[in-house]
Amino acid sequence: MTDQLSLYGKTFDSRLLIGSALYPSPAIMHEAVQASGAEIITLSLRRQMFGGGSGSDVQGSAEQREANEIWTYIQQMGLQLLPNTAGCKSAKEAITLAEMSREIFKTDWLKLEVIGDDYNLQPDPYGLIEAAAELIKRGFKVLPYCTDDLVVCQKLLDAGCEVLMPWGAPIGTGQGLLNKYNLSSIRERITQVPLIIDAGIGAPSQAAEALEMGFDAVLLNTAVAKAQEPVMMAKAFKTAVEAGRLAHNAGLMLKRQTAKPSTPTVGMPFWHQDK
């Protein structure tokens, strides 16, 4: 493959990153992830390793068994693990969880989340930048989940991030690319690192649009996991991402305000019947 995605010196054929949460069962998660063609999978330390701990012992043990089954499937697939710091609300908390993830999952790759608002799960830009700078010093390969704010993206670059992941819309909303002006500005101004749309993608057409705009990949979870047919939806996203990338490379036609015939009339013979 010639048109590969390169992140922190590692190359991937797929431009679709996928999550491991919210599926109806571990088996369906396994089948859907394989159908997606994704080579990078996100996972949560808290969910994977500490499934129990609330409710009755029976409920806790059932949750733990499911978490262990998910982890077994993930190991079998041999994908690049991307642990995340979901739920962290401060730089200190995210750094601590990152160190735990590195020890348990044996990877220095990290999807960095520092949440500043419980309602829309919007990242805290100050905590995010602080955590990113410290984690990069500690040798982590940080993929930060951020908003579509150009200045925040530039600050994350200054902190040493080699990949940025601005949202399309708040997590789990399925709203797609809400602020195309901001996203286009980020893509036009930041050309030196890969940009991945993370969060808000709800339909394959939205994923294709992100790739058509020049973004390098998309990361999603809910749109596949909560579909009526997760495996079928995973295949749909795989195809959409491939189509979006091909369209970007081919070069989209420019939009026009006026119609232009696809079959020009200049130089064409006109036939008439003499009366």
Side-chain angles (χ1 to χ4, degrees):
M1 299 283 295
T2 56
D3 186 34
Q4 293 179 306
L5 174 65
S6 179
L7 304 176
Y8 283 104
K10 189 171 182 179
T11 57
F12 303 91
D13 292 329
S14 174
R15 293 177 178 272
L16 175 62
L17 291 70
I18 199 163
S20 59
L22 305 176
Y23 293 87
S25 72
I28 292 176
M29 181 278 296
H30 179 227
E31 191 175 354
V33 171
Q34 288 190 311
S36 74
E39 297 168 272
I40 302 174
I41 187 168
T42 65
L43 66 167
S44 168
L45 173 65
R46 290 172 175 174
R47 185 176 60 81
Q48 297 294 343
M49 306 307 295
F50 304 108
S54 61
S56 65
D57 291 340
V58 174
Q59 178 185 357
S61 61
E63 291 175 350
Q64 186 62 59
R65 284 195 300 270
E66 181 174 298
N68 291 340
E69 189 176 354
I70 291 172
W71 175 229
T72 298
Y73 276 129
I74 290 174
Q75 288 178 300
Q76 290 174 351
M77 288 187 284
L79 307 179
Q80 171 63 57
L81 302 182
L82 185 60
N84 64 43
T85 58
C88 291
K89 296 183 178 180
S90 69
K92 181 179 180 180
E93 187 180 4
I95 292 167
T96 299
L97 191 61
E99 290 287 7
M100 294 172 64
S101 294
R102 179 159 62 177
E103 181 177 350
I104 292 172
F105 297 125
K106 308 303 180 185
T107 180
D108 53 8
W109 284 55
L110 183 76
K111 175 185 173 181
L112 178 61
E113 297 183 34
V114 181
I115 300 302
D117 182 78
D118 290 332
Y119 179 73
N120 66 3
L121 301 180
Q122 180 169 329
D124 171 4
Y126 306 104
L128 184 66
I129 294 167
E130 178 186 350
E134 178 60 30
L135 288 168
I136 287 168
K137 289 178 183 177
R138 298 187 185 195
F140 282 89
K141 296 176 173 62
V142 177
L143 287 77
Y145 161 62
C146 59
T147 57
D148 52 5
D149 186 302
L150 176 61
V151 175
V152 170
C153 288
Q154 290 171 330
K155 295 292 184 182
L156 288 167
L157 287 180
D158 294 341
C161 294
E162 296 181 22
V163 182
L164 299 177
M165 302 205 299
W167 70 1
I171 295 174
T173 62
Q175 294 290 322
L177 309 178
L178 283 182
N179 196 327
K180 295 177 185 178
Y181 174 81
N182 278 10
L183 291 172
S184 294
S185 297
I186 292 170
R187 179 68 284 180
E188 290 170 5
R189 295 283 298 278
I190 298 178
T191 59
Q192 66 271 43
V193 301
L195 299 179
I196 300 171
I197 294 293
D198 177 15
I201 297 294
S205 57
Q206 297 166 357
E209 185 177 20
L211 272 291
E212 289 171 0
M213 289 174 62
F215 284 88
D216 298 278
V218 296
L219 193 164
L220 54 89
N221 188 169
T222 308
V224 170
K226 288 299 185 181
Q228 293 182 13
E229 297 289 344
V231 178
M232 188 182 301
M233 186 61 75
K235 293 178 181 177
F237 271 103
K238 178 180 185 293
T239 303
V241 168
E242 292 172 351
R245 181 64 180 182
L246 283 172
H248 172 71
N249 288 345
L252 297 172
M253 67 172 288
L254 296 177
K255 293 182 179 180
R256 299 169 54 90
Q257 294 297 321
T258 57
K260 182 178 181 181
S262 57
T263 304
T265 58
V266 176
M268 291 182 62
F270 287 88
W271 299 91
H272 65 274
Q273 185 177 3
D274 294 331
K275 295 183 180 180

